[in-house]
Amino acid sequence: MALHGRHWTFRAIAPWLAIGALAVAPVQAKPVYTSFDVANAAGTFALGINGDGTITGYYVDAENADHGFLRSADGTIMTFDVSGAAATVPVAVNKSGIVAGQYTDSGLVDHGFVRAADGMIANFDVKGAGNGGNEGTRTSAINAKSMIAGYDVDSNAVYHGYLRAKGGRISRFDAPGSGTGPAQGTLVYAINGGGSLTGYFIDQDNALHGFLRTADGSVTPFDVSGAAGTSSYGINDTGSIAGS
């Protein structure tokens, strides 16, 4: 009878335990994918999204030209171009709907731009950026304070990082150890809410190293232990960095 009692108790409690486990187990939500294209586009490329679900990027037309677009959370798509641009490529949008990107002129020189929520577009160039083909100012990211980060390519094909304040002031910089030869230098790819930047630099031996530039302007290089090359592409508001 004692054995039967224990057995009965186990059978009675076990289902209760199972139900409890089901109640607290995390439920995996099935991902929902939404496909979209800009009307009559030969290709549509989404590059940035904000917290409200507004998406920006570019599309390619039938003549292989690039144009910007902005897709609101309700699915409405509007297109735009920087005046006089041969190609317009938005790369990021912040929570206020302000878009940052770059455009290419007829001479194949790159320039930065920022598009306000009301559609007004301001162009900008980093002082010292090259003005020849495949040179100029390139944009990577924008934060909630409308600070823009990116890099420029000078006339010697050397990369330099920059930070553009909301008011338009641009600070250009190089990570310590950056090479000064063609296809060497400092490339910025991300900015967080506090104005810290990350990216990577290419040294004189063409090796890649990550770096962190804090809001006070100090730059700290870093490498993953044992890596032949380290590159950084994202930073969050706590200062955690992601890369490869």
Side-chain angles (χ1 to χ4, degrees):
M1 291 295 293
L3 179 60
H4 177 75
R6 291 193 190 98
H7 183 64
W8 177 88
T9 302
F10 174 77
R11 290 174 60 87
I13 293 176
W16 177 85
L17 290 172
I19 293 171
L22 289 173
V24 299
V27 177
Q28 295 288 335
K30 186 176 181 180
V32 176
Y33 299 95
T34 302
S35 300
F36 67 91
D37 289 289
V38 175
N40 301 315
T44 301
F45 302 87
L47 299 181
I49 185 170
N50 69 9
D52 296 328
T54 299
I55 297 170
T56 196
Y58 70 97
Y59 70 96
V60 182
D61 66 19
E63 297 179 352
N64 207 35
D66 299 335
H67 310 271
F69 77 83
L70 196 62
R71 182 186 186 271
S72 61
D74 66 5
T76 303
I77 297 176
M78 64 169 300
T79 62
F80 65 91
D81 289 290
V82 176
S83 178
T88 299
V89 181
V91 298
V93 56
N94 69 10
K95 67 179 183 179
S96 299
I98 300 172
V99 176
Q102 65 195 49
Y103 72 94
T104 306
D105 65 24
S106 58
L108 300 181
V109 182
D110 295 324
H111 310 269
F113 78 84
V114 55
R115 181 186 186 275
D118 64 4
M120 294 293 293
I121 296 176
N123 310 333
F124 64 90
D125 290 290
V126 176
K127 185 177 181 180
N131 55 15
N134 298 314
E135 299 172 357
T137 300
R138 299 175 182 176
T139 302
S140 300
I142 185 172
N143 69 5
K145 298 177 181 178
S146 297
M147 302 166 72
I148 297 172
Y151 62 94
D152 72 86
V153 186
D154 68 20
S155 58
N156 295 312
V158 180
Y159 306 119
H160 308 272
Y162 76 82
L163 174 65
R164 181 184 187 271
K166 181 179 180 179
R169 181 176 178 273
I170 297 175
S171 301
R172 193 190 201 207
F173 70 94
D174 294 294
S178 295
T180 57
Q184 297 177 349
T186 302
L187 299 93
V188 179
Y189 281 102
I191 182 171
N192 70 7
S196 292
L197 312 176
T198 194
Y200 64 87
F201 65 92
I202 305 170
D203 67 20
Q204 62 181 0
D205 297 317
N206 295 315
L208 276 61
H209 311 270
F211 73 85
L212 168 67
R213 182 185 189 270
T214 53
D216 64 4
S218 59
V219 181
T220 304
F222 65 87
D223 290 289
V224 175
S225 179
T230 300
S231 51
S232 304
Y233 296 103
I235 182 170
N236 68 11
D237 287 347
T238 67
S240 294
I241 294 172
S244 60

